[in-house]
């Protein structure tokens, strides 16, 4: 589509959709009742009667209603399928033209980004889910669980360890109504509607969004953390505040395969504590005192996790010494862990 034609089409569609609040209320009222007078529209809505006439004439001008000039004037509803038929054709043509004009932007996310629109937040949620290589933590509504079900099932089948928190609890389907075990290893539910929407992939890539932002409230927002050190705040909030105040819906008791990778120390310790036998660890992190990046390997000597999940640490026995390992922003331990590898017979090789 040529540039001028594309601009003309875009302007034509824009004019057709130039609905104000009064036009929208009047149109829905007319559709509901089929035939109304101006005074009835004023009664059914909060549109002042002097404004009703201008409002219905603008609806008539764009072909959405029919006016019968009688006393009183009657406004008749038209079948929306017919009224919008030409608009659908215009939109199809317009979208084809816009696609030809479109140049996909490079979407290299900044370390921390603010996003507002619902479509953008949903796109990033999908992206975080797909980006997980080994670990995924989610706080979703039941509606969002349905939306991302196929992606979660695919990731679960590919061996990604998935934990899901659903809210509000009153809307969460029972286990005999929903196949949670095909999507996640653990599912919990939390009461109330205040729980934010969260996704954390491998402890590195995460999104935090308010419920209101997903309802289209442009005054609310989502925050994207892409390999930012601030991203640990989302993971910590999910682990210590949300997860600990939720009720378990189901836990998949399937046997774990080792070696395994962990982005959060809580999950690593929980798995080690739940199983018998010896474990070995390779820790990628940094020295708490110097900030120097370091890789530590050895036998797991201790695994400590408080009931509140606020304190979690591993003790790794290397060939030379015992080293304490904490999660992100650790202060009391020797090493702050970025990524944890747990094996059965020997320390696993670190990731490339």
């Amino acid at each position: 589509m040529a540039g001028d034609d594309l601009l003309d089409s875009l302007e034509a569609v824009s004019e057709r959709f130039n609905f104000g609040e009064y036009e929208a209320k009047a149109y829905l009222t007319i559709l509901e009742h089929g035939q109304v007078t101006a005074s009835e529209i004023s009664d059914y809505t909060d549109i002042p009667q002097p404004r009703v006439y201008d409002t219905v004439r603008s609806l008539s001008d764009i072909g959405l209603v029919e006016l019968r000039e009688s006393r009183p004037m009657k406004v008749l509803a038209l079948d929306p399928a017919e009224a919008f038929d030409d608009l659908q054709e215009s939109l199809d043509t317009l979208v084809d033209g816009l696609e030809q004009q479109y140049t996909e932007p490079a979407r290299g996310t900044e370390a921390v980004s603010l996003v507002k629109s619902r479509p953008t937040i949903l796109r990033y949620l999908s992206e975080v889910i797909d980006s997980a290589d080994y670990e995924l933590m989610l706080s979703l509504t039941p509606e969002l669980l349905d939306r991302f079900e196929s992606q979660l099932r695919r990731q679960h089948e590919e061996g990604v360890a998935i934990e899901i928190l659903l809210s509000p609890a009153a809307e969460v389907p029972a286990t005999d109504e929903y196949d949670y075990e095909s999507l996640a290893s653990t599912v919990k539910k939390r009461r109330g509607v205040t729980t934010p929407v969260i996704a954390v992939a491998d402890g590195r890539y995460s999104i935090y969004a308010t419920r209101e932002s997903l309802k289209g409230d442009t005054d609310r927002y989502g925050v994207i953390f892409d390999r930012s050190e601030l991203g640990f705040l989302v993971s910590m909030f999910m682990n210590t505040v949300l997860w600990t105040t939720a009720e378990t819906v189901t836990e998949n008791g399937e046997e774990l395969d080792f070696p395994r990778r962990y982005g959060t120390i809580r999950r690593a310790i929980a798995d080690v504590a739940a199983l018998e036998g010896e474990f070995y660890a390779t820790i990628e992190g940094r020295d708490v005192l110097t900030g120097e990046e370091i890789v530590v390997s050895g036998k797991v000597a201790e695994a400590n996790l408080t009931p509140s999940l606020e304190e979690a640490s591993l003790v790794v026995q290397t060939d030379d010494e015992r080293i304490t390992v904490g999660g992100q922003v650790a202060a009391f331990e020797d090493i702050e862990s970025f990524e944890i590898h747990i094996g059965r017979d020997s320390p696993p090789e670190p990731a490339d």
Side-chain angles (χ1 to χ4, degrees), residues 107 170 296:
R107 297 196 182 275
V296 173

Side-chain angles (χ1 to χ4, degrees), residues 34-110:
Q35 176 178 299
V36 288
T37 64
S39 62
E40 287 173 334
I41 292 175
S42 182
D43 291 339
Y44 291 137
T45 67
D46 57 1
I47 304 173
Q49 187 158 345
R51 294 293 307 276
V52 171
Y53 292 95
D54 291 339
T55 300
V56 297
R57 289 192 188 282
S58 68
L59 293 174
S60 175
D61 289 342
I62 58 178
L64 297 184
V65 301
E66 177 185 336
L67 300 184
R68 288 191 179 169
E69 301 291 348
S70 57
R71 290 184 180 276
M73 181 179 70
K74 293 183 174 60
V75 187
L76 280 66
L78 298 178
D79 186 342
E82 297 178 4
F84 285 96
D85 183 57
D86 63 321
L87 180 60
Q88 183 64 55
E89 294 180 7
S90 299
L91 280 173
D92 291 341
T93 303
L94 175 61
V95 170
D96 288 342
L98 292 173
E99 285 286 354
Q100 295 175 20
Q101 190 87 359
Y102 174 61
T103 300
E104 184 173 359
R107 297 196 182 275
T109 309
E110 300 294 332

